[in-house]
Amino acid sequence: MVRLNERVFREGDKLENLYVVKSGSIKTFITNQSGQEQILNFHGPGDILGLDGLPFNQNMATAISLETSSVCALPIHKLEEVFEQLIPSWLIEFAMNKFKQKNSNIHMLGKKNANTRIASFLLKISQNHKMLGCSDTEFDLSMSRDDIGNYLGLASETVSRTFTSMSKKGCVKLDRRHITIVDTQHLQALAKS
């Protein structure tokens, strides 16, 4: 169990475990030379943390809990034995390429306007909730507006204004961190613009 703002692992440390998120949410980020964070991703139940560090044998990011969360540590030395016996190397390489594509999401989002970025972000969270068997139209955001802005390359004020604008247009309902998607088709149209 990790508490709010507790570190799961730190960028640059030796990779000793992969972590499966069982409940709660975790953010991963890197820190630039001036000490500023760049959020790479938000992780929820079922996500595996640390895969990007496998080829380098070190953690490539820092992971911190956004709320009280439960994670399961999978020791690397045990996984290496299983990988060698059960998983062909091409499949591991395929999985690593998919992971790199997922982390490059921030670059794709950087080319879109604020409405499009936030709509895409909400749809991604919605899809994750649906995969977990939860409501895909009503959920809580565990991350702050600052974290969302950092992840999407927007100022937190822009995030707040965009959420408010979407709410006024009847696309979503807001109650602090609780989001209800009212018009999925409108949100999807915004994500494509």
Side-chain angles (χ1 to χ4, degrees):
M1 190 70 67
V2 288
R3 292 180 298 275
L4 171 67
N5 293 326
E6 187 174 340
R7 187 175 52 236
V8 179
F9 56 80
R10 184 187 348 219
E11 178 181 0
D13 286 352
K14 182 178 179 189
L15 181 68
E16 296 178 352
N17 299 299
L18 294 180
Y19 296 88
V20 177
V21 181
K22 293 171 61 179
S23 67
S25 56
I26 310 284
K27 72 176 177 180
T28 51
F29 63 89
I30 56 174
T31 306
N32 67 19
Q33 292 175 346
S34 61
Q36 295 176 321
E37 291 181 8
Q38 174 60 59
I39 296 175
L40 300 175
N41 219 331
F42 298 106
H43 306 273
D47 287 341
I48 300 173
L49 306 174
L51 287 172
D52 57 336
L54 282 174
F56 311 103
N57 199 30
Q58 76 176 31
N59 293 308
M60 303 307 292
T62 298
I64 292 183
S65 64
L66 294 169
E67 59 189 318
T68 299
S69 304
S70 176
V71 295
C72 178
L74 306 170
I76 293 294
H77 67 276
K78 298 219 181 222
L79 290 174
E80 288 172 345
E81 295 169 12
V82 172
F83 283 169
E84 288 175 8
Q85 295 172 7
L86 301 176
I87 303 173
S89 60
W90 66 267
L91 186 56
I92 293 171
E93 186 175 331
F94 176 78
M96 291 304 297
N97 285 335
K98 292 299 272 181
F99 183 80
K100 288 175 187 172
Q101 287 174 357
K102 185 176 179 181
N103 276 341
S104 69
N105 185 40
I106 189 77
H107 300 296
M108 177 205 54
L109 291 173
K111 297 178 182 176
K112 300 177 179 180
N113 66 41
N115 283 327
T116 305
R117 293 182 207 185
I118 291 176
S120 298
F121 174 74
L122 290 175
L123 289 170
K124 177 183 170 189
I125 300 236
S126 170
Q127 290 167 351
N128 290 344
H129 278 81
K130 186 175 184 175
M131 286 175 29
L132 294 169
C134 300
S135 172
D136 60 342
T137 58
E138 194 169 340
F139 46 85
D140 290 325
L141 295 175
S142 58
M143 64 288 299
S144 68
R145 300 290 195 259
D146 286 339
D147 281 350
I148 294 169
N150 182 302
Y151 176 66
L152 297 176
L154 299 169
S156 60
E157 295 83 11
T158 303
V159 172
S160 293
R161 278 195 309 272
T162 305
F163 276 142
T164 300
S165 172
M166 287 178 171
S167 179
K168 286 180 181 176
K169 292 177 184 175
C171 190
V172 298
K173 285 185 184 175
L174 302 170
D175 183 11
R176 295 189 181 133
R177 290 188 180 203
H178 188 79
I179 301 282
T180 303
I181 298 175
V182 178
D183 188 346
T184 304
Q185 290 179 336
H186 187 212
L187 203 59
Q188 289 170 338
L190 283 173
K192 292 178 183 174
S193 62

